[in-house]
Amino acid sequence: MRTDNFQAPDYYNLDELLTEEHKIVRDAARKWVKREVSPIIEDAAQKAEFPKSIISGLAEIGAFGPYIPEEYGGAGLDQISYGLIMQEIERGDSGVRSTASVQSSLVMYPIYKYGTEEQRKKYLPKLASGEFMGCFGLTEPDHGSNPAGMTTNFKDKGDHYLLNGAKMWISNAPFADIAIVWAKDENGRIHGLIVERGMEGFTTPETHNKWSLRASATGELIFNNVKVPKENLMPNKSGLGAPLGCLDSARYGIAWGAIGAAMDCYDTALRYAKERIQFDKPIAGTQLQQKKLAEMITEITKAQLMAWRLGVLRNEGKATSAQISMAKRNNVEMAITIAREARQVLGGMGITGEYSIMRHMMNLESVITYEGTHDIHLLITGMDITGIPAFQ
Ligand code: TGC
Ligand code: FAD
């Protein structure tokens, strides 16, 4: 079992920008990750299994619905606490953070924002405690970056809706109790439906042979004439803006989460470089390795400042979708670059499961693709600053 010696870098004394509550929440999540995630995660990733044993712990540290009000079972925390929890979890593994992101921002958030009071009361407390797990179906086999083209659809059959279609690449799908499914009505308008496991015609085949996010379960959602009760449609928002609104919340969490993965890679590389002797001295004493380490801590510090400022804007209700998109793109690219550099600092040892770096690096290949690819986020910034969409 790998010993977790992680020490978080804080080069610009960013702790001084945090409240006592932020630090308590962050430290609780950090301790939990050291105790419950680090000892088991490498094995889970090697076996390509989601470690279901950690679900109750994720609920206890407030990772399921951190900012959902307490009356619905959430933790009632602010956006910076939410970000810090995601940072700490992804420090352990991006796949575990994925599970928490999906549950919070892509399942609880739409039910809270777009659902009825009955739907909130029925689902949110169970999702917050981990009794129910959820997934989010937007992507389809032929519509990834362009979800507006989706073909999954439902027809009004009087006392129920009839749902047909398929979603692909869905995190948590293989074991989720409920799915938030985005589908078009007979007029081509997008709505969110809550589909429950057990509904006839609804299946969730698992996606195998991933080299990335191996500790996160991914699958398809297949709808073959599924009868969905009318009360399962979330009525308070429709159109593509509804699922994209959920993505704002999840992308914000990823902007923090990626910092966690980067911090773990940097911390591991720094410690290794100080201990590893070649040519009769620690490799940390060589200019080339110092350049790598110096650039890593610089980029981590910039990303931390960006995430913190975005959190302040989110708390004030002022963060724009384009600002969130920029932070997701920047911080994930920062993390994947650091993972690749850190891997080199460890030489051959960097490719083994003795260290977390290669796992982070492979995980981040998914993180840079999901929730909008790196290129799509460049185009979102491009559109924001020029006013001209360049998607088509
Ligand atoms: P466009 O015409 O620009 O917009 C359509 C409507 O949506 C509104 N909108 C937003 N609303 C809220 N938040 C946002 N971020 C929004 N962006 C746009 C917009 O105002 C408009 O509203 P209205 O009222 O005028 O209709 O839409 P478009 O079709 O041109 O597409 C724009 C584009 C390409 C940026 C968008 O489609 C996009 O972001 N594509 C990327 C797809 C994506 O991110 N998929 C993620 C799937 S979920 C996932 O990956 C989960 S991974 C989970 C994990 O394991 O962590
Ligand atoms: P495509 O859209 O086919 O893109 C392929 C390439 O073309 C990319 O490099 C892209 O940047 C580029 N490209 C596309 N359009 C343009 C353009 N206009 N200009 C320039 N370049 C362009 N989805 C969900 O709904 N729910 C989930 O829970 C979920 N979990 C996921 C988990 C994993 C492990 C992965 C890998 C994906 C997950 N996704 C999920 C799907 C994810 O959001 C999509 O993979 C992503 O949006 C990209 O879609 P695509 O894979 O179809 O790529």
Side-chain angles (χ1 to χ4, degrees):
M1 194 182 292
R2 193 167 55 89
T3 313
D4 185 346
N5 296 316
F6 176 68
Q7 286 182 342
D10 183 12
Y11 202 71
Y12 265 33
N13 301 339
L14 280 154
D15 261 22
E16 291 175 12
L17 297 173
L18 303 180
T19 63
E20 279 313 303
E21 181 176 75
H22 294 150
K23 285 187 259 190
I24 289 168
V25 167
R26 193 256 330 261
D27 293 348
R30 185 168 291 169
K31 273 194 197 141
W32 178 79
V33 168
K34 273 201 178 195
R35 198 181 62 239
E36 304 291 337
V37 178
S38 298
I40 59 148
I41 197 64
E42 184 61 36
D43 192 42
Q46 294 281 359
K47 290 182 179 151
E49 282 172 9
F50 170 67
K52 282 193 185 161
S53 59
I54 63 174
I55 287 178
S56 58
L58 281 166
E60 275 163 31
I61 61 164
F64 295 158
Y67 53 82
I68 298 290
E70 287 169 288
E71 63 175 302
Y72 298 111
L77 297 168
D78 76 349
Q79 290 290 315
I80 291 181
S81 289
Y82 161 44
L84 288 164
I85 293 173
M86 295 298 119
Q87 172 187 286
E88 295 306 316
I89 297 176
E90 192 148 359
R91 207 277 300 171
D93 189 79
S94 303
V96 179
R97 197 269 307 134
S98 256
T99 296
S101 288
V102 169
Q103 183 88 340
S104 298
S105 292
L106 301 182
V107 178
M108 296 178 73
Y109 177 87
I111 293 173
Y112 175 62
K113 277 279 178 190
Y114 314 146
T116 62
E117 191 55 23
E118 290 70 32
Q119 290 167 344
R120 288 183 191 141
K121 286 190 177 135
K122 180 173 176 190
Y123 296 109
L124 291 178
K126 287 184 174 163
L127 290 161
S129 69
E131 184 184 339
F132 271 12
M133 294 300 292
C135 67
F136 176 91
L138 181 64
T139 305
E140 298 187 352
D142 294 330
H143 300 96
S145 297
N146 179 26
M150 70 173 68
T151 58
T152 298
N153 66 87
F154 64 93
K155 292 188 168 53
D156 190 334
K157 293 289 178 185
D159 62 341
H160 64 270
Y161 298 121
L162 201 63
L163 179 65
N164 278 289
K167 302 286 176 179
M168 150 171 217
W169 294 118
I170 307 304
S171 302
N172 300 355
F175 59 82
D177 302 285
I178 63 169
I180 301 296
V181 178
W182 300 96
K184 285 180 176 166
D185 67 15
E186 283 140 297
N187 299 316
R189 182 106 185 133
I190 294 170
H191 297 265
L193 298 164
I194 305 170
V195 179
E196 298 189 10
R197 183 172 296 282
M199 287 181 177
E200 208 178 326
F202 173 43
T203 49
T204 60
E206 183 156 4
T207 304
H208 295 288
N209 296 333
K210 291 180 300 169
W211 284 114
S212 173
L213 286 195
R214 289 172 61 81
S216 159
T218 312
E220 296 166 55
L221 305 177
I222 314 274
F223 314 104
N224 187 5
N225 286 326
V226 181
K227 284 184 183 175
V228 181
K230 285 201 156 167
E231 66 262 23
N232 283 30
L233 182 139
M234 294 180 290
N236 296 333
K237 192 163 167 91
S238 62
L240 187 62
L244 291 180
C246 307
L247 295 185
D248 276 354
S249 176
R251 289 167 178 173
Y252 166 74
I254 292 174
W256 281 91
I259 298 171
M263 291 200 303
D264 199 46
C265 293
Y266 164 76
D267 180 61
T268 304
L270 178 62
R271 188 170 304 108
Y272 187 90
K274 287 199 228 169
E275 288 168 3
R276 176 69 177 165
I277 309 290
Q278 287 296 288
F279 299 97
D280 302 323
K281 68 171 187 180
I283 59 169
T286 66
Q287 289 185 351
L288 285 174
Q289 303 315 313
Q290 284 192 8
K291 175 177 185 290
K292 289 192 182 74
L293 294 165
E295 285 174 351
M296 286 181 208
I297 190 62
T298 308
E299 292 308 314
I300 288 170
T301 304
K302 284 152 68 178
Q304 286 171 326
L305 285 164
M306 193 178 211
W308 175 82
R309 175 64 187 149
L310 191 61
V312 171
L313 290 173
R314 294 258 307 164
N315 278 341
E316 293 170 352
K318 290 196 232 159
T320 66
S321 298
Q323 287 170 333
I324 296 165
S325 158
M326 179 186 279
K328 190 270 183 184
R329 168 174 56 83
N330 183 77
N331 290 8
V332 176
E333 188 178 42
M334 171 281 298
I336 205 167
T337 304
I338 286 178
R340 288 168 182 156
E341 292 290 300
R343 216 283 310 146
Q344 293 195 57
V345 173
L346 269 70
M349 288 310 290
I351 71 154
T352 72
E354 292 291 305
Y355 296 89
S356 53
I357 295 176
M358 189 86 175
R359 179 166 43 81
H360 282 307
M361 192 172 107
M362 295 196 303
N363 283 342
L364 289 162
E365 293 290 345
S366 287
V367 181
I368 203 166
T369 294
Y370 68 33
E371 302 272 2
T373 66
H374 183 80
D375 288 343
I376 288 294
H377 287 296
L378 281 170
L379 295 179
I380 291 173
T381 304
M383 178 171 69
D384 196 50
I385 57 178
T386 64
I388 308 168
F391 300 106
Q392 288 180 330

